[in-house]
């Protein structure tokens, strides 16, 4: 099962901007929407960006997403301590006929 | 409000069968696919498969095809993930989620998710 490639870690001080990349192929990110999920220990995963750049109600405006070609990114502007979590990108893959997740990025607030 | 409730933690021995559940409420169960995702200890998320509660159409990841079975009981708005014979490598947290959809057929995401079921397989 192929995966989307993310950096293993990212960090910043409170108030800084952090960006997480997600690299895929033409059959997944290049052809389909990208979604981003936040995992906090002991809690249910939560979508923070869907359809490349849409933010669900209740998700702070400091979260934003974008897609270009076969890559996508999640930006957290004005980093806050509660943003410390694992983040995963995901997309449908036309070759696998299924979903692929990113390798995951641990965001640390210094 | 859409809610997803998963069954409690399980401790099993290798070779034993297991079925875990995912009960949803707050929307029309048969209208949206339910997906299952695995997270092994210290590892990332892996998509296992999904099932359409309306007609029980299923799609499996090649990595899980033949090792797990997805099913639903429409009468109680519940989806199931089943193993006939567990292995130690099945030790993981298993999440279910509603597959939400957007304006186009290719626009879908997982929301909300259940809290996960921890399955521990050990002799």
């Amino acid at each position: 099962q192929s995966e989307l490639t993310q950096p293993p870690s990212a960090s910043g001080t409170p108030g800084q901007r952090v960006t997480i990349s997600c690299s895929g192929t033409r059959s997944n990110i290049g052809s389909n929407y990208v979604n981003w999920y936040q995992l906090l220990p002991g809690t249910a995963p939560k979508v923070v960006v869907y359809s490349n750049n849409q933010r669900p109600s209740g998700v702070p405006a400091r979260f934003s997403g974008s897609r270009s070609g076969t890559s996508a990114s999640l930006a957290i502007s004005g980093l806050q301590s509660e943003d410390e979590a694992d983040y995963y990108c995901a997309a449908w893959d036309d070759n696998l006929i299924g979903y692929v997740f990113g390798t995951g990025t641990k965001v640390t607030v210094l | 409000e859409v809610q997803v409730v998963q069954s409690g933690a399980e401790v099993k021995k290798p070779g034993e069968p297991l079925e875990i559940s995912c009960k949803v409420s707050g929307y029309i169960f048969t209208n949206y696919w339910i997906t299952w995702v695995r997270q092994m200890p210290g590892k990332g998320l892996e998509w296992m498969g999904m099932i359409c509660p309306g007609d029980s159409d299923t799609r499996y990841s090649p990595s899980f095809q033949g090792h797990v079975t997805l099913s639903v009981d429409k009468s109680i708005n519940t989806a199931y993930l089943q193993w006939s014979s567990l292995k130690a490598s099945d030790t993981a947290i298993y999440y279910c989620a509603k597959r939400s959809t957007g304006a186009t057929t290719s626009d879908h995401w997982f929301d909300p998710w259940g809290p996960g079921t921890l399955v521990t397989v050990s002799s």
Side-chain angles (χ1 to χ4, degrees):
Chain A
Q1 184 171 337
S2 65
E3 293 175 305
L4 308 176
T5 302
Q6 298 179 231
S9 63
S11 62
T13 57
Q16 277 191 326
R17 175 184 172 93
V18 166
T19 301
I20 303 167
S21 61
C22 174
S23 178
T25 65
R26 198 175 348 179
S27 65
N28 42 62
I29 294 178
S31 306
N32 296 289
Y33 290 97
V34 178
N35 308 306
W36 290 89
Y37 301 97
Q38 178 192 62
L39 269 72
L40 289 162
T43 66
K46 181 176 87 166
V47 59
V48 291
V49 166
Y50 66 94
S51 304
N52 298 333
N53 54 19
Q54 301 300 300
R55 200 174 49 252
S57 61
V59 172
R62 62 180 181 273
F63 288 89
S64 62
S66 64
R67 183 192 73 169
S68 178
T70 58
S71 295
S73 63
L74 174 71
I76 310 173
S77 302
L79 193 65
Q80 298 190 9
S81 58
E82 59 261 37
D83 300 332
E84 190 162 282
D86 294 327
Y87 293 85
Y88 292 85
C89 57
W92 178 264
D93 189 293
D94 293 335
N95 288 346
L96 291 177
I97 314 179
Y99 291 93
V100 286
F101 279 97
T103 47
T105 299
K106 182 174 184 60
V107 169
T108 302
V109 181
L110 301 171
Chain B
E1 179 193 6
V2 177
Q3 292 191 321
V4 180
V5 178
Q6 295 189 238
S7 49
E10 302 273 2
V11 179
K12 293 289 188 178
K13 290 180 168 43
E16 290 185 334
L18 176 65
E19 182 178 80
I20 61 175
S21 66
C22 171
K23 184 173 176 61
V24 305
S25 60
Y27 71 95
I28 300 173
F29 181 53
T30 52
N31 284 2
Y32 298 88
W33 291 72
I34 293 288
T35 197
W36 290 88
V37 175
R38 180 175 80 175
Q39 185 176 32
M40 298 176 74
K43 302 296 184 182
L45 301 178
E46 300 173 87
W47 183 73
M48 301 177 69
M50 61 185 184
I51 184 166
C52 177
D55 59 6
S56 291
D57 186 15
T58 53
R59 311 284 166 80
Y60 292 95
S61 162
S63 300
F64 293 91
Q65 177 87 48
H67 187 55
V68 298
T69 301
L70 303 183
S71 62
V72 297
D73 184 336
K74 291 189 285 188
S75 68
I76 54 172
N77 286 7
T78 301
Y80 300 94
L81 172 60
Q82 181 183 55
W83 295 260
S84 58
S85 179
L86 286 162
K87 303 176 183 178
S89 57
D90 292 319
T91 295
I93 298 174
Y94 293 88
Y95 297 102
C96 65
K98 167 181 172 277
R99 192 182 81 154
S100 295
T101 56
T104 68
T105 55
S106 62
D107 191 7
H108 28 79
W109 60 96
F110 306 147
D111 179 55
W113 294 58
T117 294
L118 174 62
V119 174
T120 303
V121 184
S122 174
S123 54

